Amino acid sequence: MKNILFLVLFIILNSLGLAQQKPINIYYEKSNDGFDFFASNKEQVPYTVKINFQQLENLSSDSGEKSFIRTIPAQSSSVKVLEMRRIKEEKGTSFDFNFLFTIGDASLIVDENYPYLLPYKHGKRVRVGQGNNGAGTHKGINAIDFNLEVGDSIYAARAGLVTEVKQDSDIGGNAPKYEPYGNFIKVYHDDGTLGSYVHLVKNGSLVKKGDQITEGQLIGISGNTGWSSGPHLHFMVTQNRDFQNFTLPIKFLNYEDELFIPIESKSYYAFHPGKPDFEVEDEFQEAAFEGKMEPSSLKGKIEFDTKEYGDYVLIYVDNGMNAEMNGVLKLQLKNLISTKNLPYKFTVPPRTRMYLLALSPDDNASSFGYQLSGEFK
């Protein structure tokens, strides 16, 4: 019975060891006059390590320090990172150390004006649901939430190497407990920054770890997994400095070849250089919509519907009845302005879809929303 218990414990311990393998290994070898320390990096990107000696007896480095930062090249082995030499020949030696590691080369200079591409289809216009330091989940964080729908395509905002992919989850919800379930793609850039594309659908990654991707490449499918109040793509770029993770206020390229930082509640066309020209909607002019009517697509019922036009939400009434209908549109608004006085009374002819009014953001730095109801007779 004891042998069986021992065997089970041995298997469990080995399984845990395999699950906790690290990308970086630091080890040492005895030399003629001290110890040499080496590092191995099994990953395809460089890592930065910090070696700390808590206890050091009769040993010293050339600098005399007890803490050392080194960059370990990608896919390298037995890289000598440190020499510790005996101080007095007649005395014994002892030491105790640990180490931290983080992805990237800390010596690289971040390109603060790199022209990132908007990470959705060329020519597609998408609203920003939450911007840098947003009042929702972005407090103290530089990140952009693009209001993509489930199933929308995700394109690489910058070239790089895929370092990590998670795509096994179909769980999501509007609470912190769902954060571990968010699917994502992480991409290492050549200036040491790391781009993260988050909330993908299950099996929604079209790339795998180790893939070298190009700017504008189709890489994934948007979803609603993890800590999410609704379908969107969370995009964020980080840099590790002094073994701390910092989010960066990156800049994107627009179709006028200008750099900009997206603003919450505004919408933007994705422009991917080298792709065909696309039509850009004119600025919203309500007069162009007033009085326009079209045949109803409904039968025997009447309802409201909406359409996004740039930064505006257009509200229509669709009368599928065979009689003229009078109605009242009621709206509860959060940080939105209506182009008409509310509640709004209207008359819609039979079998007709008709424009009513538009809503525009009141404060580009705040979240917004509306609740719609109506009465008909």
Side-chain angles (χ1 to χ4, degrees):
M1 187 66 176
K2 288 183 179 179
N3 288 335
I4 294 174
L5 288 173
F6 175 78
L7 179 60
V8 172
L9 180 61
F10 178 81
I11 293 172
I12 292 172
L13 288 174
N14 273 275
S15 298
L16 289 172
L18 289 172
Q20 295 173 353
Q21 286 182 346
K22 298 177 180 179
I24 299 297
N25 180 38
I26 303 291
Y27 62 97
Y28 59 88
E29 295 179 357
K30 187 172 176 52
S31 64
N32 292 333
D33 55 353
F35 295 89
D36 295 331
F37 288 77
F38 299 87
S40 296
N41 176 8
K42 67 178 184 179
E43 298 295 324
Q44 292 179 274
V45 295
Y47 270 73
T48 300
V49 299
K50 185 175 185 179
I51 306 171
N52 299 299
F53 286 86
Q54 285 80 40
Q55 185 260 331
L56 198 57
E57 186 70 30
N58 198 33
L59 288 168
S60 178
S61 67
D62 291 340
S63 64
E65 297 173 299
K66 292 186 177 181
S67 183
F68 308 87
I69 295 177
R70 300 287 188 269
T71 298
I72 315 303
Q75 293 185 312
S76 60
S77 61
S78 301
V79 178
K80 184 184 286 190
V81 294
L82 182 62
E83 295 180 353
M84 282 291 182
R85 295 295 172 249
R86 186 190 302 267
I87 299 172
K88 295 182 178 180
E89 284 293 330
E90 66 278 8
K91 290 185 63 176
T93 61
S94 64
F95 59 86
D96 183 18
F97 77 96
N98 60 29
F99 66 96
L100 308 172
F101 61 89
T102 185
I103 192 170
D105 182 347
S107 67
L108 296 175
I109 304 299
V110 172
D111 184 354
E112 297 180 355
N113 289 309
Y114 186 88
Y116 284 83
L117 302 186
L118 289 167
Y120 41 91
K121 188 176 181 180
H122 171 78
K124 184 180 179 68
R125 189 172 191 171
V126 174
R127 189 184 302 275
V128 173
Q130 190 175 182
N132 293 335
N133 296 293
T137 55
H138 289 185
K139 291 180 181 178
I141 296 173
N142 290 302
I144 307 293
D145 286 349
F146 297 103
N147 286 354
L148 297 185
E149 298 296 330
V150 173
D152 282 350
S153 299
I154 299 170
Y155 293 79
R158 183 174 180 176
L161 189 135
V162 178
T163 61
E164 191 176 359
V165 170
K166 174 179 169 57
Q167 59 172 341
D168 60 352
S169 171
D170 59 359
I171 299 172
N174 189 21
K177 68 179 182 180
Y178 293 103
E179 187 170 12
Y181 302 103
N183 296 322
F184 59 78
I185 299 170
K186 293 186 178 182
V187 179
Y188 181 76
H189 306 139
D190 60 9
D191 63 354
T193 56
L194 192 70
S196 297
Y197 306 75
V198 188
H199 304 306
L200 280 66
V201 296
K202 185 175 182 179
N203 299 321
S205 177
L206 305 179
V207 295
K208 63 183 183 302
K209 180 179 177 179
D211 284 354
Q212 186 72 48
I213 63 172
T214 58
E215 187 172 83
Q217 178 180 334
L218 178 62
I219 61 171
I221 306 299
S222 185
N224 191 28
T225 56
W227 183 4
S228 175
S229 59
H232 69 280
L233 172 67
H234 175 95
F235 181 70
M236 178 173 65
V237 175
T238 58
Q239 179 199 18
N240 284 298
R241 299 196 303 267
D242 299 324
F243 295 87
Q244 297 183 61
N245 209 32
F246 293 87
T247 58
L248 306 178
I250 62 169
K251 299 172 184 177
F252 292 87
L253 184 70
N254 67 15
Y255 62 87
E256 295 179 326
D257 206 30
E258 299 170 335
L259 294 179
F260 72 99
I261 295 177
I263 298 173
E264 190 168 298
S265 81
K266 299 282 284 184
S267 59
Y268 301 94
Y269 288 101
F271 171 66
H272 298 175
K275 297 288 186 179
D277 293 340
F278 54 85
E279 185 177 349
V280 176
E281 288 180 343
D282 296 329
E283 289 296 318
F284 175 74
Q285 300 291 334
E286 189 165 46
F289 296 88
E290 296 275 21
K292 284 191 175 181
M293 300 189 185
E294 55 189 72
S296 173
S297 61
L298 303 178
K299 290 184 179 181
K301 60 180 179 179
I302 183 171
E303 61 186 31
F304 298 108
D305 65 70
T306 63
K307 175 185 176 182
E308 288 194 4
Y309 187 95
D311 298 322
Y312 287 77
V313 177
L314 311 186
I315 299 180
Y316 292 79
V317 61
D318 194 342
N319 180 15
M321 310 292 285
N322 291 322
E324 179 181 88
M325 300 293 290
N326 296 312
V328 179
L329 172 64
K330 300 177 182 179
L331 290 165
Q332 294 182 350
L333 304 178
K334 177 185 178 182
N335 294 325
L336 288 170
I337 299 173
S338 171
T339 56
K340 304 284 181 61
N341 292 328
L342 298 174
Y344 181 66
K345 297 181 180 180
F346 60 87
T347 300
V348 56
R351 306 291 300 164
T352 300
R353 181 175 182 264
M354 184 176 77
Y355 168 82
L356 296 180
L357 56 81
L359 305 176
S360 62
D362 181 20
D363 182 351
N364 287 333
S366 301
S367 60
F368 63 94
Y370 62 90
Q371 288 185 338
L372 179 154
S373 62
E375 298 176 357
F376 301 99
K377 63 180 180 178

